[in-house]
Amino acid sequence: MLSAFVRAFRTPDLRRKLLFTIAIMVVFRIGSFLPTPGVSYSNVQVCIEQSGSDSGVLGIVNLFSGGALLQLSVFALGIMPYITASIIVQLLRVVIPRFEALHKEGQSGTAKLTQYTRYLTIGLAVLQSTTVIITARNGGLFTGCSVEVIPDGSIQTTALMILTMTAGTGLIMWLGELITERGVGNGMSLLIFTSIAAQFPSAMWSIAGGSGGLGAFAIVLLIIILVIGLVVFVEQSQRRVPVQYAKRMVGRRTYGGSSTYIPIKINMAGVIPVIFASSLLQVPALLAGFGDQTAGWKQWVANNLANQGAPLHIGLYVLLIVFFCYFYTAITFNPDEVADNMKKYGGFIPGIRAGKPTAEYLDYVITRITAPGSIYLALVALIPTIAFIVLGVGTSIPFGGSSILIVVGVGLETVKQIESQLQQRHYEGFLR
């Protein structure tokens, strides 16, 4: 594998792409430490030391921003507004027929949907930056902090901060598209990978220097290695549905007669169900953070919904992940559409009639295979919770839940792209 990396850097075209991708990652990390105008950087550091590394209800945004949210930097929102906008546009295909028609138009329709996604990203960035600033000003971003992170509360300063964070989100979106066009791999995915991987050294160091010491560090490291192996195994697993194409004569030529298969992954929804479930569970805790904290219902929310070790929180988390697994899989994989395309080109599943019986069979396979996929996803997502209960390091354990799925998935996809480009140049790839 190391020799393959050497050969990749010896290839001029591939070397330029790799160096360009690394340069964009460096720019992205530098922007994560540039403070937003109006923020007291010294007070932010004091609050981080007093409250620790956990950002409470905004933990997912802080994870995907590479810790930039707690720094209240220019890139504080990270890639999260773009992720949310992409998911919303994808879900709107079910509701708005115009979006579904654009999706079927090919490259021109996809470009139009991408344009809508960009507009929605900027709108969400304005909304999320306003929420983050208000939360930080009310003391909801850091728990138990004795100093103000935003000393100036004027309208002009607030507007400047919102404009800066929104512009930072637009810049991140542009950097991700540059990687996709001129670099290696998917730009947005690689920026998320960079954000999560950047927190790994500090998280492991905090575990080693905590109350558990080197013993907890060794246990967490072993868990990470085992879970990465499990995730790689499951993410590469497929249910291959065989498809046979009938022979047909066009003039003097014979077409068809080949055999192929439909690859159906165990986890077709990816990390989206974990993000949806976490976001929904954060809403009650976010609402409870405003106003009088002594109210009875707010205490109940803090003890049962905001507490990751509470049985109700764990139960709702698992149920929401299972539900969104089925929901998102039903949106992204349409058995009727696949069956119609197969029938149009003369394809059929051996032993299954073309048309509606094929669609019913595919729906049956998807329903059954999503069940173990959703359970696997829930178990991986509960790793930080289990570590918090057993080891007391749940808030610091790296590569847990959604992060491990993203890191492994992006890593595998990027390696496959480098592998294909090496094979095009008659080199051996990473896999022999």
Side-chain angles (χ1 to χ4, degrees):
M1 184 174 178
L2 293 177
S3 62
F5 270 115
V6 173
R7 286 194 295 269
F9 274 97
R10 285 178 179 173
T11 308
D13 182 36
L14 192 54
R15 182 175 64 245
R16 282 195 298 269
K17 290 182 178 182
L18 289 172
L19 292 177
F20 181 81
T21 303
I22 295 172
I24 295 295
M25 290 179 175
V26 172
V27 172
F28 175 66
R29 286 305 299 161
I30 291 174
S32 301
F33 295 97
L34 293 176
T36 303
V39 175
S40 175
Y41 183 76
S42 58
N43 289 355
V44 168
Q45 301 306 314
V46 171
C47 288
I48 291 177
E49 292 180 1
Q50 290 181 357
S51 62
S53 60
D54 186 17
S55 59
V57 296
L58 298 174
I60 287 187
V61 183
N62 185 61
L63 174 69
F64 287 172
S65 66
L69 175 64
L70 287 181
Q71 303 282 349
L72 289 174
S73 67
V74 176
F75 290 168
L77 301 181
I79 203 68
M80 198 64 183
Y82 183 84
I83 297 174
T84 308
S86 301
I87 294 172
I88 291 175
V89 171
Q90 217 168 8
L91 295 178
L92 286 178
R93 283 170 40 197
V94 184
V95 182
I96 303 177
R98 169 65 178 163
F99 280 29
E100 183 64 25
L102 286 174
H103 177 69
K104 293 180 179 179
E105 284 182 5
Q107 188 174 0
S108 60
T110 304
K112 198 69 176 178
L113 289 176
T114 304
Q115 188 177 4
Y116 292 154
T117 304
R118 292 170 182 165
Y119 293 149
L120 185 57
T121 299
I122 299 300
L124 290 174
V126 173
L127 180 62
Q128 291 185 16
S129 60
T130 305
T131 304
V132 169
I133 293 169
I134 293 175
T135 305
R137 188 166 291 161
N138 293 336
L141 191 61
F142 300 99
T143 56
C145 184
S146 58
V147 294
E148 293 184 356
V149 294
I150 307 177
D152 187 3
S154 62
I155 298 177
Q156 294 84 354
T157 302
T158 303
L160 179 60
M161 293 180 66
I162 293 173
L163 180 62
T164 303
M165 289 185 179
T166 304
T169 300
L171 181 58
I172 291 174
M173 186 167 54
W174 179 62
L175 292 176
E177 292 177 355
L178 280 180
I179 292 178
T180 304
E181 293 175 4
R182 301 173 55 185
V184 177
N186 183 280
M188 301 301 175
S189 301
L190 281 173
L191 291 183
I192 299 174
F193 176 91
T194 305
S195 301
I196 297 173
Q199 300 184 72
F200 178 73
S202 60
M204 295 300 293
W205 181 259
S206 65
I207 294 174
S211 59
L214 293 179
F217 175 83
I219 294 175
V220 170
L221 187 61
L222 179 62
I223 292 174
I224 291 173
I225 295 174
L226 292 176
V227 172
I228 288 177
L230 172 66
V231 171
V232 171
F233 177 77
V234 176
E235 291 296 323
Q236 298 289 88
S237 302
Q238 296 176 348
R239 165 70 188 274
R240 297 181 175 181
V241 179
V243 178
Q244 182 75 34
Y245 284 91
K247 293 183 180 180
R248 54 196 178 99
M249 295 291 296
V250 179
R252 294 183 177 181
R253 294 188 176 183
T254 303
Y255 293 92
S258 59
S259 299
T260 183
Y261 59 87
I262 302 175
I264 300 178
K265 295 179 64 176
I266 293 180
N267 177 29
M268 295 188 67
V271 74
I272 300 299
V274 178
I275 297 176
F276 275 16
S278 302
S279 302
L280 281 182
L281 284 177
Q282 287 175 1
V283 172
L286 183 62
L287 295 176
F290 298 95
D292 184 16
Q293 298 298 313
T294 59
W297 70 275
K298 292 185 178 182
Q299 296 292 331
W300 185 87
V301 168
N303 294 330
N304 294 278
L305 295 181
N307 181 14
Q308 65 173 343
L312 181 61
H313 175 91
I314 296 175
L316 287 176
Y317 194 35
V318 172
L319 289 177
L320 286 173
I321 289 175
V322 173
F323 168 75
F324 282 120
C325 269
Y326 278 95
F327 178 74
Y328 195 76
T329 302
I331 291 175
T332 54
F333 187 90
N334 189 347
D336 295 325
E337 184 179 350
V338 174
D340 289 340
N341 290 334
M342 288 172 53
K343 185 178 180 180
K344 189 184 302 181
Y345 294 103
F348 62 94
I349 299 174
I352 307 294
R353 292 177 62 88
K356 187 177 180 181
T358 299
E360 292 176 350
Y361 176 76
L362 290 175
D363 183 65
Y364 170 75
V365 173
I366 287 291
T367 303
R368 293 193 64 184
I369 207 170
T370 304
S374 60
I375 295 173
Y376 142 79
L377 198 61
L379 290 176
V380 173
L382 285 176
I383 289 174
T385 303
I386 297 172
F388 176 76
I389 296 173
V390 178
L391 302 176
V393 294
T395 57
S396 300
I397 183 171
F399 293 162
S402 57
S403 58
I404 190 170
L405 295 170
I406 294 172
V407 168
V408 173
V410 174
L412 287 174
E413 187 63 30
T414 305
V415 166
K416 285 180 181 178
Q417 289 202 19
I418 299 176
E419 167 90 8
S420 63
Q421 296 199 28
L422 283 174
Q423 289 181 348
Q424 288 176 3
R425 293 165 177 83
H426 307 289
Y427 285 122
E428 280 188 351
F430 292 104
L431 307 176
R432 296 185 178 180

